[in-house]
Amino acid sequence: MNGYRVRVHPRLPERLAMCVVAAVATVLNVLLKLPCTVPGPPDVPRGAFVSRYGCWSDVAALWNSRQLVGHVFPYVTGSQLGNGTVEYPTLTGVWVWLTALPVGSAHGFLLVTGAVAGVLAVVVTLLLVRVAGRRAWIWAATPPLALYAAYNWDLLAVVCTVAGLVVMLRPPSSWSTTTRYAVAGLAFGLGGAFKLYPLMFLAPLAIAALLDQDAVLRVRVRRTVAALGSGVGVVLAANVPFVLVNAPGWLSVFEFQASRPIGASTMSVWYYGLLPWSADLDGPAQQAMGTMSTLATALGIIAVLVVTVVLARRRGSAPWVQSAAALLAVYMVCNKVASPQYVLWLLPFLVVVRISGWWIGAYLVADVCAVVGFFRNTYYQAIGAGTDTWAYQAMTVGIWGRAALLVVFVVFFLRSTVVTRPPGPNTLPVAVRGTVVTEGTP
């Protein structure tokens, strides 16, 4: 092209199609969950009804169990969950209170939550397109959104996480590196104030800020402080006021999560791997499993961070995105709870990090087997059919398949590269000096 750069209009129809698909998937999830917002048939046990249709969602369940209908501002009264206080970090609790204000029933609350989830799903889609082009279809057009978009409030933390990735990988050209790190840290801290897991990503971000050999030491120290300061600062801002007003109410969230038994509903390898001892929710195995899961998670996180530092020193730049993805995989496989919607946390990293579609497909199949098998197995147990069913086998394959693939992903993530579009706005495809670069090349 004689050195000239040819710009082509962006593929707006394809992006629009991604957004529509993501929104439709969210609507499907809301429709799936709606039956559980109204009383079931009087002659059918509630457990059998919920598990038969797989319509359980934390949104509808917590409306009743945490007395959200009272519209009491959370965390500021009492010392236990309930009366508006939910078992999540403060910003999620405030968000739940805010979105519950316009409604007076679980049905309406799920509809409002689903509408917000649809908007968030579209925002995440557009952010992922900015980073990885058409690989964003992995987010928009695979089963997780249709299964879990309105299951819980996880999309709040997901959009913060993806915003942090975009800020670092495709920032505005006018931003300095210090600004990028500060805003990314802020995004991860904000995500941590909704759900704790994005706080893990501050560690590899700080490693990259300090060890990347693209600036003098003074600049690297400054941007490390900016990343950690903004991330920790937003967490403190979201929590300290509640601690000062009512420390026992704020602490009740952490006490609940710490004392939560590892039961069948956690869908973790700890419970299913240590049967029959783990079936006793009050027995000694519970404390042992809690200790083992905590130690395994801590050791896994330390190992990933050590590898990240070694790679950063060897290469001169830290693979911080890959490290963040590996940290998440470690947490998902080692933590005592493996709730099904956690796949929404992982999916953006499967878009941004160059992982083969076959591996991604295998994980998504295992995830579907786990959740479908779990609900059908629960239904069969409720009607007295026992566990010798196809559903129990599917659940078993799904739970252990997910765990095995997460271990594989830890290694794959750390060895992979990040998928990025060509630099500059609206350049897909771009012809530069006779070489055509296509957006989102797998």
Side-chain angles (χ1 to χ4, degrees):
M1 292 292 180
N2 298 323
Y4 291 98
R5 186 181 185 87
V6 180
R7 296 185 183 272
V8 180
H9 290 294
R11 295 174 181 170
L12 289 178
E14 184 175 13
R15 296 183 186 185
L16 179 60
M18 288 184 188
C19 294
V20 170
V21 169
V24 169
T26 304
V27 171
L28 291 176
N29 183 248
V30 173
L31 294 176
L32 173 66
K33 302 305 181 184
L34 279 177
C36 280
T37 62
V38 296
D43 57 338
V44 178
R46 185 64 176 173
F49 177 78
V50 169
S51 57
R52 179 180 182 180
Y53 297 102
C55 58
W56 169 274
S57 72
D58 294 338
V59 175
L62 294 184
W63 173 266
N64 296 313
S65 63
R66 303 299 180 233
Q67 299 90 47
L68 300 181
V69 69
H71 304 304
V72 179
F73 195 76
Y75 310 108
V76 298
T77 58
S79 59
Q80 296 181 341
L81 300 183
N83 201 24
T85 297
V86 294
E87 52 265 55
Y88 304 112
T90 55
L91 286 193
T92 293
V94 173
W95 185 273
V96 168
W97 168 79
L98 185 64
T99 52
L101 286 178
V103 298
S105 66
H107 185 89
F109 186 46
L110 181 62
L111 289 177
V112 172
T113 302
V116 174
V119 173
L120 294 175
V122 170
V123 171
V124 172
T125 301
L126 293 174
L127 290 174
L128 289 173
V129 168
R130 179 170 175 81
V131 174
R134 58 179 38 168
R135 279 181 66 97
W137 279 114
I138 297 171
W139 164 264
T142 51
L145 277 179
L147 291 173
Y148 315 116
Y151 189 99
N152 199 288
W153 295 272
D154 296 81
L155 288 181
L156 295 167
V158 171
V159 74
C160 293
T161 298
V162 176
L165 295 175
V166 172
V167 163
M168 291 298 295
L169 298 177
R170 289 296 303 274
S173 58
S174 60
W175 284 14
S176 67
T177 55
T178 301
T179 300
R180 288 166 51 205
Y181 278 101
V183 176
L186 181 70
F188 294 146
L190 188 64
F194 283 113
K195 296 271 184 170
L196 292 179
Y197 80 92
L199 292 179
M200 292 189 297
F201 308 148
L202 288 173
L205 182 69
I207 291 173
L210 185 62
L211 297 184
D212 280 6
Q213 301 298 311
D214 59 343
V216 298
L217 180 61
R218 175 175 53 85
V219 174
R220 288 185 276 135
V221 170
R222 184 170 66 238
R223 68 193 187 191
T224 304
V225 172
L228 293 177
S230 61
V232 174
V234 72
V235 173
L236 292 176
N239 286 273
V240 170
F242 292 95
V243 176
L244 296 178
V245 172
N246 182 25
W250 173 83
L251 190 61
S252 65
V253 173
F254 302 95
E255 292 174 340
F256 172 85
Q257 297 295 351
S259 62
R260 180 180 178 181
I262 303 177
S265 64
T266 63
M267 299 181 69
S268 73
V269 294
W270 300 105
Y271 177 82
Y272 290 98
L274 293 175
L275 286 172
W277 304 283
S278 57
D280 184 358
L281 299 185
D282 297 317
Q286 286 294 320
Q287 183 176 357
M289 287 189 297
T291 301
M292 287 189 295
S293 64
T294 301
L295 287 176
T297 303
L299 290 175
I301 288 174
I302 292 171
V304 169
L305 293 179
V306 169
V307 172
T308 304
V309 171
V310 171
L311 293 176
R313 297 295 298 271
R314 180 183 302 170
R315 301 173 181 175
S317 63
W320 77 270
V321 176
Q322 299 93 314
S323 175
L327 288 175
L328 180 57
V330 165
Y331 179 82
M332 289 175 64
V333 74
C334 294
N335 185 43
K336 71 176 186 178
V337 178
S339 293
Q341 80 274 12
Y342 289 1
V343 66
L344 293 174
W345 305 358
L346 182 67
L347 210 55
F349 288 102
L350 296 178
V351 173
V352 173
V353 181
R354 195 180 297 276
I355 297 292
S356 168
W358 290 105
W359 290 104
I360 297 172
Y363 186 86
L364 295 177
V365 168
D367 182 74
V368 171
C369 288
V371 70
V372 172
F374 173 80
F375 280 115
R376 294 304 294 180
N377 179 66
T378 305
Y379 170 68
Y380 289 145
Q381 287 182 319
I383 62 175
T387 59
D388 188 19
T389 64
W390 68 266
Y392 186 82
Q393 300 303 323
M395 180 186 69
T396 301
V397 170
I399 289 173
W400 289 104
R402 288 189 314 184
L405 287 167
L406 286 170
V407 173
V408 172
F409 283 169
V410 172
V411 178
F412 279 8
F413 283 142
L414 291 172
R415 297 182 61 183
S416 299
T417 58
V418 174
V419 178
T420 56
R421 287 175 49 201
N426 302 339
T427 54
L428 50 139
V430 178
V432 183
R433 297 186 183 278
T435 303
V436 176
V437 183
T438 304
E439 177 199 26
T441 302

